[in-house]
Amino acid sequence: MMPIEIRGSSFNPWDEIKLHQQKLNRQGQYGATASFVGTMRDFNEDKHVQRMTLEHYPGMTDKYLEKICKEAHQQWDLIETLIIHRIGEIKIADPIVLVCVWSAHRAEAFDACRFMMEDLKSKAPFWKQESTAAGNRWVEKSTPG
Amino acid sequence: MMPIEIRGSSFNPWDEIKLHQQKLNRQGQYGATASFVGTMRDFNEDKHVQRMTLEHYPGMTDKYLEKICKEAHQQWDLIETLIIHRIGEIKIADPIVLVCVWSAHRAEAFDACRFMMEDLKSKAPFWKQESTAAGNRWVEKSTPG
Amino acid sequence: MNITVKYFASLREQLGKSEEILTLSDEISIAEVWQNVSASISENIESENILMTINMEYVKSDALVKTGDEVAFFPPVTGG
Amino acid sequence: MNITVKYFASLREQLGKSEEILTLSDEISIAEVWQNVSASISENIESENILMTINMEYVKSDALVKTGDEVAFFPPVTGG
């Protein structure tokens, strides 16, 4: 299945994983599930952040996330991957990204999940603009992985 | 909070994370949540497995899991950790272990989650006995991490 | 030959546009397209700090642009 | 001096008991306790393949056992 999804509104990552696992219907095959959730904080680079807007490159975003999943499946023996990424107006504590990987054994799940997040952070065409008391600012670079 | 829990009956890891996050009430502080779930497979070392029994060392198990959490908190800047581990009769597709880590940034969450799982796999006093068509057998070693 | 050029995030704001159609007389490199379109920005942006794509695939600055291509320029990405 | 000794998993089955109380005349190392209790097992188990704890903490084989200690022996763990 390897779904990727760009979401315009808030989502609960744990409900999404639970639901996707039910749909996947591969019980007894996966022994390992590694997930990462990135969530909006109220603080970044010395400033309180009030809200955020996530811009993206429509068309390329989907294409790039699909590429990440395909590369992970080529590099490791995986059963399934799931990526969900928010766009638009983000509120404090909103989940921004979910990456989840199912595999038979744990090394593959851990390695693939981290690879996918690092690749997404460095190359997937999304941009954050934060609103602070001092005005709006574009986030210039991601935190190191 | 750093809770650890030994569970005698089936649990849903995604419901547990969701619930614990609500109780934690640190919205806006964590930007990263890394989790790992180990699930019972129907196949191990060339044999179909029907069910499994997880034995443990009561008293030491809790103590050891708490030690893992404390060490992770000493080594990385974490907001919260959660460990749940099953004991007793395990059915195919039952979750066996959940490790979840909340932190401000992703490197800490990924590193701590993996460290906790590897330490748990190599030292926490649990033992698996599998039931196969050929009878019961003790699992002799864990898969490499 | 016509190409579509897209701009995102801070670069879109600096240039004051998100998309334009350029008519080129020759096949040129994407670096030359960047020199062209970035000439109007007062603060000089080094092309090393700009990501470049042709038809939604990352390319190096010496990649050639063909007619009908969708070219995009944007600052380092900050999703996830 | 009395100590409690616990056995788990395959070792518990091989020894046919999960716990016993031993009376020792001297303070001895946990390795010596292991030699004592494992003598009855037909297939020889190398002590390197056995994990040893005193009062629920992992110890090396030269650790000394004191009166009242809870000692445990078990095979490699396989949880998670």
Side-chain angles (χ1 to χ4, degrees), chain A:
Chain A
M1 295 166 93
M2 296 202 298
I4 65 105
E5 209 182 322
I6 313 293
R7 278 290 171 92
S9 58
S10 193
F11 68 95
N12 184 296
W14 320 115
D15 290 344
E16 298 287 340
I17 297 176
K18 193 175 161 180
L19 187 69
H20 188 68
Q21 211 171 254
Q22 281 162 9
K23 275 195 260 172
L24 183 61
N25 199 23
R26 301 276 296 267
Q27 286 86 350
Q29 291 175 50
Y30 52 86
T33 313
S35 79
F36 180 85
V37 175
T39 304
M40 190 185 158
R41 296 193 308 138
D42 56 13
F43 198 83
N44 190 28
E45 286 174 26
D46 301 335
K47 278 212 170 57
H48 282 281
V49 181
Q50 291 156 342
R51 62 188 181 283
M52 193 163 76
T53 306
L54 251 164
E55 181 172 332
H56 76 130
Y57 182 170
M60 180 172 169
T61 324
D62 310 58
K63 216 174 144 171
Y64 199 82
L65 297 184
E66 279 164 11
K67 183 173 174 255
I68 292 175
C69 295
K70 268 181 216 150
E71 283 185 10
H73 278 265
Q74 277 161 10
Q75 210 166 331
W76 292 280
D77 191 9
L78 307 180
I79 289 169
E80 176 71 329
T81 58
L82 170 66
I83 302 181
I84 301 176
H85 202 294
R86 270 297 301 279
I87 53 168
E89 292 291 313
I90 320 271
K91 297 188 304 294
I92 303 291
D94 269 0
I96 298 167
V97 63
L98 162 65
V99 170
C100 191
V101 178
W102 288 261
S103 61
H105 302 291
R106 76 187 182 288
E108 287 85 343
F110 272 127
D111 287 345
C113 185
R114 192 155 196 176
F115 159 81
M116 291 170 69
M117 264 310 296
E118 297 309 320
D119 202 34
L120 186 156
K121 291 286 273 189
S122 66
K123 297 242 194 76
F126 295 100
W127 301 273
K128 288 174 178 157
Q129 189 181 45
E130 295 173 338
S131 301
T132 73
N136 291 348
R137 62 176 183 187
W138 290 97
V139 177
E140 288 187 1
K141 60 178 193 314
S142 292
T143 51

Side-chain angles (χ1 to χ4, degrees), chain B residues 3 25 99-100 115 129:
Chain B
N25 200 23
V99 170
C100 191
F115 159 81
Q129 190 182 44

Side-chain angles (χ1 to χ4, degrees), chain B residues 96-116:
Chain B
I96 299 168
V97 62
L98 163 65
V99 170
C100 191
V101 177
W102 288 262
S103 61
H105 302 292
R106 76 186 181 287
E108 288 85 343
F110 273 127
D111 288 344
C113 184
R114 190 154 195 176
F115 159 81
M116 290 170 71

